[in-house]
Amino acid sequence: MNARTEPAQAGPGAPARPPLIRELLLVAGLFLVYKFGRQLATGHTAEAFGNAHRVWDWERVLRMPDEGTVQSLLLHGDTLIHTANTYYAVVHFPATAAFLVWLYLRRPAHYVWARRILAALTGAALVLHLVFPLAPPRMLGATGLIDTARVFGPSVYGPPSTDALSNQFAAMPSLHFGWALMVAIGLIVATRTRWRWLWLLHPLVTLLVIVGTANHYWLDVIVAAALLGLALAVLRMPHGQRWAVPRRRPEPRRRPEPRRRTVERHDLVGAGR
């Protein structure tokens, strides 16, 4: 990191960093609650496929782009589709964890705000998973899409009937996209570098990956963005910590120019006489 991404010096009014042990227990507890909640949503196979047909029909009525267009782009080469599957499998959790760790160490006030936003977004997603189970497009034959992870690898899911670690009927909203978008927003707000807007590439790549690998519908992404926008509107950043303003380089001080000594010319009275 360069000087523009470093935090300002902590002053007397700077927010205190939350206790590390408490934060680890809190994050671990939230994760366990979420995993337990996802397991409660399993077993709704018929309802999940019924909702999948409805979502697919809604997208056609709304004339939304076909997810197959994105998948066809990824299927141009084995390396490209394998990279997309790997991105889906390994970037989601580590990127979010690294984001929270960096904020905790460098931007305590931004960390508390971002953790609350992510917790609110995840809680809202869990409720929606319970009331609206949804099979992903890779499971729906009507879409004409293939399960790229199963065909090309790597895959993080097993058969839905035997997968005890995840709920594969929790497509809406897409937390892959919601978390990625929050990571980008949080880093844009918390950093000073002029290149910080490039963090938006993370949710953009995530969007192409989750749609192209047939793990999510477009509507899953829209709902995730809407829930995140609602959380951002309700849980606002503490006053004075909203944006990290880029530091301006101080202008070099100019040395005062020495005063020119003026020599008074005196006419000599009677000179030359």
Side-chain angles (χ1 to χ4, degrees), residues 5-240:
T5 60
E6 289 298 322
Q9 295 295 330
R17 182 176 292 110
L20 178 59
I21 300 300
R22 189 194 71 180
E23 290 303 309
L24 291 176
L25 293 175
L26 178 61
V27 173
L30 290 173
F31 178 76
L32 292 176
V33 169
Y34 173 69
K35 295 296 290 185
F36 177 72
R38 284 175 68 98
Q39 293 304 313
L40 291 178
T42 59
H44 299 82
T45 304
E47 186 179 359
F49 277 96
N51 290 333
H53 282 284
R54 294 186 187 94
V55 168
W56 183 254
D57 292 340
W58 292 341
E59 290 189 347
R60 307 291 75 79
V61 171
L62 296 173
R63 298 183 181 275
M64 300 185 68
D66 190 350
E67 288 84 348
T69 303
V70 180
Q71 186 171 92
S72 63
L73 295 175
L74 297 180
L75 291 175
H76 276 301
D78 292 352
T79 302
L80 185 59
I81 191 62
H82 188 273
T83 302
N85 292 331
T86 303
Y87 194 94
Y88 179 86
V90 305
V91 173
H92 178 50
F93 280 106
T96 308
F99 163 69
L100 290 175
V101 170
W102 186 84
L103 285 183
Y104 179 83
L105 296 175
R106 297 293 187 178
R107 300 287 194 276
H110 291 83
Y111 163 78
V112 174
W113 167 71
R115 187 246 292 153
R116 289 174 179 172
I117 294 292
L118 287 172
L121 173 62
T122 306
L126 176 58
V127 173
L128 195 53
H129 294 164
L130 292 172
V131 300
F132 192 80
L134 179 65
R138 59 185 167 83
M139 293 183 182
L140 191 64
T143 65
L145 302 174
I146 65 173
D147 188 344
T148 61
R150 182 178 58 83
V151 175
F152 298 94
S155 177
V156 295
Y157 301 121
S161 58
T162 60
D163 189 358
L165 297 177
S166 60
N167 174 22
Q168 298 187 45
F169 298 140
M172 181 181 289
S174 170
L175 282 179
H176 266 76
F177 180 76
W179 286 13
L181 185 57
M182 182 55 205
V183 168
I185 292 174
L187 290 174
I188 289 171
V189 172
T191 56
R192 298 186 178 94
T193 173
R194 67 179 65 179
W195 303 104
R196 64 187 183 276
W197 295 100
L198 292 177
W199 287 113
L200 290 173
L201 290 174
H202 177 42
L204 178 59
V205 173
T206 300
L207 171 62
L208 297 177
V209 165
I210 63 178
V211 173
T213 57
N215 280 288
H216 287 283
Y217 306 89
W218 292 114
L219 283 178
D220 300 339
V221 175
I222 294 175
V223 172
L227 290 176
L228 177 59
L230 181 61
L232 289 170
V234 174
L235 302 173
R236 299 201 173 189
M237 173 69 64
H239 182 70

